[in-house]
Each structure stands twice: as C-alpha cells, then as structure tokens.
Amino acid sequence: MADVQKQKFVVLLRVSTKSQSADGLGIAAQRRDINLFLQHQEDPEVVSELVEVESGAKDSRPVLQEALRLCRTHRAALLVQKVDRITRDLEVLARIVKDPEVMVRVASLPNADNFQIHLFGCLAAQEREFISQRTRAALAAAKARGIQLGNPRLAEINRTRKRAARQFADQHSNLIWSLRNKGRSLREICSVLN
C-alpha cells in the first residue's frame, strides 16, 4: 500500500498595525478560518505559522519572504485566510503565484486556482486605493472642521530627543574621537558604543 503524502502548509497571518496585533482579534479570526480549512484537508501538516504586523502595500516584507523560503524548503503550500493577507500589491502577488515552487492556498477560497487568486488580488489592490482615498478624505474633512492633525506635542518631543542626542554625543565624543584617531571604522565604533 502506498504512503499518502502529507499536505504541508506554511501559515501566514498578517495584520497591518500594531494595535490590530495587540487586540489579537484580527489574528484570531484568521487563525479560526485557517483551522476550519485545515479540518477539511486530508492529513495536513503545518510546517510553520508566521505572524506579520506590516502593511500589505509595503515592498519590504521579511516575514513574507521567510514564509516563501519555508514553502520552497519544505515543499509546502503558503496558506492564508484571504488573498489580501498575502499582499495588496498586484505585482508582488503575481510573482508569488507564478513561482513554480510555491503553491498558494486561501482558506476563504478553498478551491481557488491561480486565475481566481489573481482576480481577488486585483480586488485587494483596488481596495487599497479606496482605503487611501477614504483616509485622505477623512483627514481633509477633519482639518476643515478645525481638528488639529498629528501630535500637538511633536515640537516638544523633538526638542527632548535632540537634547538627549546632544547629551549622548557630549558624553561620548572623546571616546569616539579617540577610536577614530586610532583608525577604527564607524562599525567598530558602533560596536563599542552598543
């Protein structure tokens, strides 16, 4: 009797902000949907579960890159709750879906093929633009109502930071100049200061 090959998955959970991560609700909802998906798979194995707190629109996504590396290493599928949990950047999604070593599975679209994943990626990219438009409109409306945007204490905070930086520089300038005069590199000086 032939052995049945285990289905391997690398689970990627993503929220955009630290506050979403802190309340755990976004992650919990994603994990619930993924667990429901896994219950309907034959002998699934979760190789790794990675949690990323990063905007899906960002280019630099080390956690996503690690998830893709694990998929290639373990010949596992990348499993996410929804397509927009991978990315809201259509170009990035296209590269991932086109990668012959990475299979993408979506818990909310259990039977989706690459074409359908692309379509949902288009919708996610459009939603990103809508979010941006709504945010700009809301900020403009708030400003028109006289609401002061940003941190009202920003100037004070920056003065405090500059003062602390000057104090640090004053305290350590002799050491820095001494090391520099001895031919030490900036990296070596940083190591000493750290």
Side-chain angles (χ1 to χ4, degrees):
M1 191 157 108
D3 275 342
V4 176
Q5 180 77 25
K6 274 189 174 229
Q7 295 181 69
K8 295 181 183 179
F9 297 97
V10 173
V11 174
L12 177 64
L13 308 169
R14 183 185 68 77
V15 291
S16 299
T17 65
K18 287 184 177 148
S19 63
Q20 289 173 328
S21 174
D23 72 20
L25 297 176
I27 296 294
Q30 290 177 55
R31 192 172 280 130
R32 180 199 65 230
D33 290 353
I34 285 171
N35 286 335
L36 285 171
F37 172 87
L38 290 170
Q39 288 171 10
H40 292 92
Q41 303 305 304
E42 190 173 324
D43 201 19
E45 176 187 346
V46 174
V47 173
S48 184
E49 178 183 283
L50 300 163
V51 177
E52 182 175 42
V53 181
E54 194 69 64
S55 167
K58 292 231 174 157
D59 289 337
S60 175
R61 303 262 309 280
V63 176
L64 174 60
Q65 294 309 314
E66 174 64 10
L68 294 171
R69 186 192 69 73
L70 288 168
C71 287
R72 291 181 193 106
T73 301
H74 296 282
R75 297 176 190 249
L78 178 65
L79 176 58
V80 293
Q81 176 205 27
K82 299 187 309 185
V83 175
D84 67 5
R85 298 300 86 198
I86 300 172
T87 183
R88 289 185 185 270
D89 184 323
L90 197 53
E91 187 177 326
V92 171
L93 180 66
R95 277 195 306 269
I96 293 169
V97 171
K98 191 175 178 182
D99 187 332
E101 296 183 78
V102 176
M103 180 178 174
V104 176
R105 298 297 305 269
V106 182
S108 62
L109 304 166
N111 299 315
D113 59 16
N114 285 349
F115 176 73
Q116 291 166 323
I117 290 171
H118 269 104
L119 288 177
F120 278 86
C122 290
L123 295 173
Q126 184 63 53
E127 178 60 18
R128 176 177 117 190
E129 182 59 33
F130 290 156
I131 290 168
S132 177
Q133 290 171 2
R134 288 191 303 263
T135 302
R136 283 194 301 271
L139 290 172
K143 194 172 182 179
R145 289 192 312 269
I147 294 174
Q148 185 177 3
L149 302 175
N151 189 337
R153 297 183 46 231
L154 187 59
E156 176 189 336
I157 290 168
N158 283 338
R159 278 193 300 276
T160 303
R161 288 178 180 161
K162 285 180 183 178
R163 191 176 318 112
R166 257 188 254 111
Q167 288 173 346
F168 180 85
D170 290 344
Q171 290 172 353
H172 297 88
S173 63
N174 290 337
L175 173 62
I176 293 168
W177 282 114
S178 170
L179 293 170
R180 198 68 175 141
N181 290 334
K182 290 179 182 175
R184 297 290 171 86
S185 70
L186 294 176
R187 180 167 285 168
E188 291 170 325
I189 294 170
C190 287
S191 294
V192 170
L193 292 173
N194 286 336

